[in-house]
Amino acid sequence: MGELYLVGMGPGDLPGLTLAAKEALEGAEVVIGYSTYIKLLEEMGLLVGKEVVRKGMTEELDRAEEALERALAGQRVALVSGGDPGIYGMAAPVLELMEERGFRRVDGGVGLPGRFAQGGREVLLKVIPGVTAANAVASLLGSPLAHDTCLISLSDLLTPWPLIERRLHAAGQGDFVVVLYNPQSKRRTWQLGKSAEILLQYRPPETPAALVKSAYRKREEVTLTTLEGLKEAEAGMLTTVVIGNRHSRFFEGTLLTPRGYGLKYDLDTGEPLPGETPGLSLRRRDG
Amino acid sequence: MGELYLVGMGPGDLPGLTLAAKEALEGAEVVIGYSTYIKLLEEMGLLVGKEVVRKGMTEELDRAEEALERALAGQRVALVSGGDPGIYGMAAPVLELMEERGFRRVDGGVGLPGRFAQGGREVLLKVIPGVTAANAVASLLGSPLAHDTCLISLSDLLTPWPLIERRLHAAGQGDFVVVLYNPQSKRRTWQLGKSAEILLQYRPPETPAALVKSAYRKREEVTLTTLEGLKEAEAGMLTTVVIGNRHSRFFEGTLLTPRGYGLKYDLDTGEPLPGETPGLSLRRRDG
């Protein structure tokens, strides 16, 4: 029986791999991935003696198809994703394709790992999670995600823009910390500015924000800014954007969202509430 | 100069550690953490010959204080968090305490790692990210988080319940996939059911959902259910809850959220839209 491992690479440096991811890559006969990730794995020395299949960025379904076909043929395959396969990664395309092709579960189990069959052939499927960009980027900023957080991709290739806008409004209404994946590309230039404008309807212009480019890779770049500053910011394919909530603040070059708080603001009007409790989050819970 | 590493342990098994986390633990003279995490690290054999400080669950500030004090005294300290230190972990309490105690940055840098001073003593602070529960749990379910996702903690110890409710409403309005951290405890018994009731105002009762207990640890338990089923579900401190969006579905014992879609539903009325494009997400982007 073939085996297909969907492997999360984390931010893209060797120390950012989990031990499980490293072991799955070492045990694989074939490694399949987007060419940028394959190059990073080559630099880590993890592809020596292996068959390697590199594909273009938009060829997600080709990657899924090739990985499934080879696993059905009996090979041990690692299909890599940057960050985590479950967050805008390869887990969904693989399962969607399996559904379309009529794969059936044969181990009677629930969840993954699982054994699936198609056309008389079997494959073992397992997802190996990794550190996603939100967490990698947060670790370079301080503690921006210490309270309830939304992940939103600004790519409208597969999602209608009106739904993305609706989610930005919801994130504003709920005072969520926001992490924007795929904020800009050569083709998509206005979405980041527009997102900032939407969130400015709910948060002050001075709300702390940050852009992190190439976290844990060569040419890593951390930029602190504000929600207002994002209106004119330059991002790109390798950048992740973080926008704080109403309680986020800068502390000595870091971005800090406190882990707990009283309702300091009326969330509808943005006005400070009377009788707020400053320093609540520093109160000892067991005190 | 002392060093303080805030180390993300990932789900809690050795393979789930990053290489960076393992190295930081191996290099530490003192390891500080909540007793459950210390026990897991002991079982991994990572604490041999080290000074160990274990604290109770509610003693977050004590842990932060002890870690900072020892690092200021010149020790190399690892302060561990389950999952990722930035997601409901130790990064925020440490930075909040440093702010309260008047730490000043001395390296002129931005973000972390950074050098900070207090009372004539210095400390190097670094956060080592880990695989958070959302990603660990998703890898056991299939691909539930393949589209825009909210993380919400149901613990009202440090957050007023009305704000948590507001966020659940926002998550519903934005049709976000929802991951609930801390869904229940002995003291907090009604919050999970109440959360399901709020989301039922926006999604059908048959919306796929799941409970995952002790992911990647002994007594791991994966349960598939529906949003309606969550009203009466038993969770607990070691459980993470996932609720799909309007496009999520079950596929052969897995929970699948497609990575892209047309607007199949009117998000205000929940009615199917005319002229929707089934199978959009399986269309090749480069085709």
Side-chain angles (χ1 to χ4, degrees):
Chain A
M1 184 176 58
E3 296 169 22
L4 175 51
Y5 295 88
L6 309 187
V7 179
M9 281 182 49
D13 63 342
L14 183 61
L17 277 184
T18 63
L19 304 188
K22 183 161 178 274
E23 197 187 312
L25 289 164
E26 284 166 350
E29 298 163 79
V30 196
V31 178
I32 302 176
Y34 166 40
S35 50
T36 299
Y37 301 134
I38 293 292
K39 198 170 159 224
L40 289 167
L41 290 174
E42 264 168 0
E43 288 168 11
M44 296 177 204
L46 288 174
L47 300 183
V48 180
K50 290 182 197 305
E51 191 182 354
V52 172
V53 181
R54 65 192 81 209
K55 300 266 187 184
M57 189 175 55
T58 55
E59 299 166 316
E60 271 181 357
L61 274 175
D62 285 345
R63 274 178 264 156
E65 211 159 18
E66 173 116 22
L68 273 173
E69 188 43 52
R70 285 170 174 269
L72 283 172
Q75 287 192 297
R76 202 179 308 131
V77 182
L79 175 59
V80 298
S81 290
D84 180 73
I87 306 283
Y88 311 116
M90 290 303 299
V94 166
L95 284 169
E96 288 179 79
L97 196 61
M98 288 171 67
E99 188 186 39
E100 196 198 49
R101 299 278 162 89
F103 279 70
R104 288 286 160 250
R105 181 149 205 149
V106 290
D107 61 1
V110 160
L112 296 182
R115 274 171 49 220
F116 300 84
Q118 190 229 28
R121 301 184 299 175
E122 282 192 19
V123 59
L124 175 78
L125 179 69
K126 188 173 157 73
V127 176
I128 297 173
V131 173
T132 184
N135 303 287
V137 156
S139 72
L140 296 175
L141 290 172
S143 71
L145 313 185
H147 219 286
D148 304 337
T149 295
C150 282
L151 315 184
I152 301 177
S153 167
L154 294 190
S155 171
D156 54 1
L157 282 168
L158 293 172
T159 305
W161 179 254
L163 178 56
I164 300 174
E165 276 206 5
R166 189 188 178 92
R167 287 188 175 150
L168 290 162
H169 280 286
Q173 274 156 13
D175 198 32
F176 283 97
V177 177
V178 177
V179 182
L180 299 177
Y181 283 66
N182 310 308
Q184 259 174 8
S185 70
K186 274 177 195 160
R187 195 184 64 75
R188 294 180 296 102
T189 53
W190 53 266
Q191 283 84 348
L192 176 58
K194 178 72 186 166
S195 304
E197 278 168 26
I198 291 171
L199 289 170
L200 278 166
Q201 296 173 32
Y202 305 91
R203 294 176 204 183
E206 64 273 18
T207 300
L211 300 105
V212 181
K213 190 178 167 185
S214 299
Y216 292 93
R217 300 191 201 164
K218 276 177 226 157
R219 290 182 284 276
E220 174 185 289
E221 221 178 286
V222 175
T223 309
L224 301 183
T225 180
T226 61
L227 183 49
E228 177 73 20
L230 286 184
K231 276 163 64 183
E232 304 295 330
E234 293 286 325
M237 292 300 288
L238 302 172
T239 301
T240 304
V241 175
V242 178
I243 300 146
N245 69 18
R246 279 189 165 276
H247 294 80
S248 301
R249 51 189 187 257
F250 292 120
F251 162 64
E252 298 291 304
T254 70
L255 206 172
L256 162 60
T257 301
R259 77 221 139 98
Y261 29 78
L263 275 171
K264 287 189 182 178
Y265 302 93
D266 181 312
L267 285 161
D268 288 312
T269 64
E271 294 297 313
L273 287 174
E276 60 137 307
T277 316
L280 173 69
S281 69
L282 272 177
R283 198 191 292 158
R284 275 178 177 70
R285 286 205 229 161
D286 53 336
Chain B
M1 185 176 58
E3 295 169 24
L4 175 51
Y5 296 88
L6 309 187
V7 179
M9 279 181 52
D13 62 342
L14 183 62
L17 275 185
T18 64
L19 303 188
K22 183 161 178 276
E23 196 187 312
L25 289 163
E26 284 167 350
E29 298 163 79
V30 195
V31 178
I32 302 175
Y34 166 41
S35 50
T36 299
Y37 300 134
I38 294 292
K39 198 170 159 225
L40 289 167
L41 290 173
E42 264 168 0
E43 288 168 13
M44 297 177 204
L46 288 173
L47 300 182
V48 180
K50 293 183 193 305
E51 191 181 354
V52 172
V53 180
R54 66 192 81 209
K55 299 267 188 183
M57 189 175 56
T58 55
E59 299 167 315
E60 273 182 354
L61 274 174
D62 285 345
R63 275 178 262 157
E65 210 159 19
E66 174 115 21
L68 272 173
E69 187 45 49
R70 284 168 174 270
L72 283 172
Q75 286 191 298
R76 201 178 309 131
V77 181
L79 176 58
V80 298
S81 289
D84 180 74
I87 306 284
Y88 312 115
M90 291 302 300
V94 166
L95 284 168
E96 288 179 78
L97 196 61
M98 287 171 67
E99 187 186 41
E100 195 198 50
R101 299 278 163 91
F103 279 69
R104 288 287 161 248
R105 182 148 204 150
V106 291
D107 61 3
V110 160
L112 296 182
R115 276 172 48 219
F116 300 83
Q118 190 228 30
R121 301 184 298 176
E122 281 191 20
V123 60
L124 175 78
L125 179 69
K126 187 172 159 72
V127 175
I128 297 172
V131 174
T132 183
N135 303 286
V137 156
S139 73
L140 296 175
L141 290 172
S143 70
L145 314 185
H147 218 287
D148 304 335
T149 295
C150 283
L151 315 183
I152 301 176
S153 167
L154 293 190
S155 169
D156 54 0
L157 282 169
L158 293 171
T159 305
W161 180 254
L163 178 56
I164 299 174
E165 277 206 4
R166 188 187 180 94
R167 287 186 174 149
L168 290 162
H169 279 286
Q173 275 157 13
D175 197 31
F176 283 98
V177 176
V178 177
V179 182
L180 298 177
Y181 283 66
N182 310 308
Q184 258 174 7
S185 70
K186 274 178 196 161
R187 197 185 61 77
R188 293 180 296 102
T189 54
W190 53 266
Q191 283 85 347
L192 176 57
K194 178 73 187 164
S195 304
E197 277 168 26
I198 291 172
L199 289 169
L200 278 165
Q201 297 174 32
Y202 305 92
R203 293 175 206 183
E206 64 273 19
T207 301
L211 299 106
V212 182
K213 189 177 167 184
S214 300
Y216 293 94
R217 300 191 200 164
K218 275 176 227 158
R219 289 181 284 276
E220 175 185 289
E221 219 178 290
V222 175
T223 309
L224 302 183
T225 181
T226 60
L227 184 49
E228 178 72 21
L230 286 183
K231 276 162 65 182
E232 304 295 331
E234 292 285 325
M237 292 301 288
L238 300 172
T239 301
T240 303
V241 175
V242 177
I243 301 146
N245 69 19
R246 278 190 165 276
H247 295 79
S248 301
R249 52 188 186 257
F250 293 119
F251 162 64
E252 298 291 305
T254 70
L255 206 172
L256 162 59
T257 300
R259 74 224 142 96
Y261 30 78
L263 275 173
K264 288 189 181 177
Y265 302 92
D266 181 311
L267 286 162
D268 288 313
T269 65
E271 294 299 311
L273 285 175
E276 61 137 309
T277 315
L280 173 70
S281 70
L282 271 178
R283 199 191 291 159
R284 276 180 177 69
R285 286 206 229 161
D286 54 338

